[in-house]
Amino acid sequence: DSMVKILDNKQIKNIFSLGSGRACLEFHLSKHKEVSISDLSKSILNLKKFNLFKNVYHLDVFDALENIESHQIVLFGRIDTEFDDKQLKLLFNEINIKQNPILFIPAQKLTIFSLLMEIYLRIKAIFLFKKLVFCGYSRTYRHFEKIWSDYYKSYPFKGFYYLEPK
């Protein structure tokens, strides 16, 4: 609801979602706004059959960027862990070229708790002789801020950020 309020307040009617996955949030938002979705997963092709969204793109994030229109806000939800800092900065730069605002939902913020949990899991893996699996990058809010600060001014909300082009 707070996302819809922000979109209404900013008079934004169109959303482009990068890395939509199962598109649950996008489905909710489509009740209030016009939504286009994109994802590399083939499951997105099943979503296309339901005609719930304005456009459905079966593309990776970087290829999907060229389909973003200048009047759309970009929903960047829970896919940040898939990119290293250089790639993430490039994404923010590319989105900023058309001066698109962003709704950014981090997959996981690095906190004291998540750091302690990571240490615990590593120790447990050593004792159980298990291999660790890389599950992506975690960042603090300050680190996110460094990545997008050249292009965006950020407004934090509970669980997400509204980023406005500078």
Side-chain angles (χ1 to χ4, degrees):
D1 287 337
S2 55
M3 279 188 191
V4 174
K5 287 178 187 172
I6 291 168
L7 296 173
D8 288 343
N9 185 36
K10 299 288 183 181
Q11 298 179 336
I12 296 171
K13 296 179 171 78
N14 295 285
I15 301 166
F16 190 100
S17 177
L18 288 173
S20 305
R22 295 180 305 174
C24 296
L25 175 58
E26 291 81 353
F27 174 71
H28 172 70
L29 291 171
S30 72
K31 295 175 185 176
H32 308 278
K33 306 292 176 187
E34 194 171 78
V35 179
S36 295
I37 62 173
S38 67
D39 201 282
L40 190 55
S41 165
K42 288 190 179 187
S43 63
I44 200 161
L45 300 174
N46 293 329
L47 290 172
K48 190 173 188 169
K49 296 174 189 174
F50 294 106
N51 293 319
L52 300 169
F53 304 103
K54 178 184 176 191
N55 295 301
V56 177
Y57 299 101
H58 180 233
L59 298 168
D60 81 357
V61 169
F62 285 99
D63 291 333
L65 292 175
E66 63 189 53
N67 295 296
I68 298 171
E69 298 170 25
S70 60
H71 64 281
Q72 292 177 310
I73 190 167
V74 176
L75 178 59
F76 195 104
R78 295 186 180 96
I79 61 170
D80 55 284
T81 55
E82 298 175 29
F83 303 102
D84 63 29
D85 289 354
K86 187 177 176 182
Q87 293 169 317
L88 199 56
K89 189 167 181 108
L90 178 62
L91 271 172
F92 285 114
N93 179 43
E94 291 292 320
I95 296 168
N96 183 262
I97 289 171
K98 294 181 188 175
Q99 291 291 288
N100 296 89
I102 297 173
L103 282 175
F104 177 73
I105 306 166
Q108 176 178 316
K109 287 196 321 191
L110 184 60
T111 63
I112 294 293
F113 177 77
S114 65
L115 179 64
L116 292 173
M117 184 58 72
E118 186 69 26
I119 292 168
Y120 165 75
L121 292 173
R122 288 177 185 275
I123 292 169
K124 185 177 173 182
I126 290 168
F127 283 115
L128 297 175
F129 302 102
K130 299 242 179 183
K131 275 183 98 175
L132 290 171
V133 177
F134 179 69
C135 295
Y137 301 93
S138 293
R139 298 168 178 95
T140 63
Y141 172 71
R142 281 196 180 133
H143 196 78
F144 281 126
E145 184 77 26
K146 279 184 196 175
I147 291 171
W148 67 52
S149 65
D150 290 343
Y151 318 107
Y152 287 93
K153 181 172 169 77
S154 62
Y155 301 91
F157 291 87
K158 186 174 178 162
F160 71 96
Y161 302 91
Y162 173 76
L163 306 179
E164 196 167 69
K166 286 188 172 180

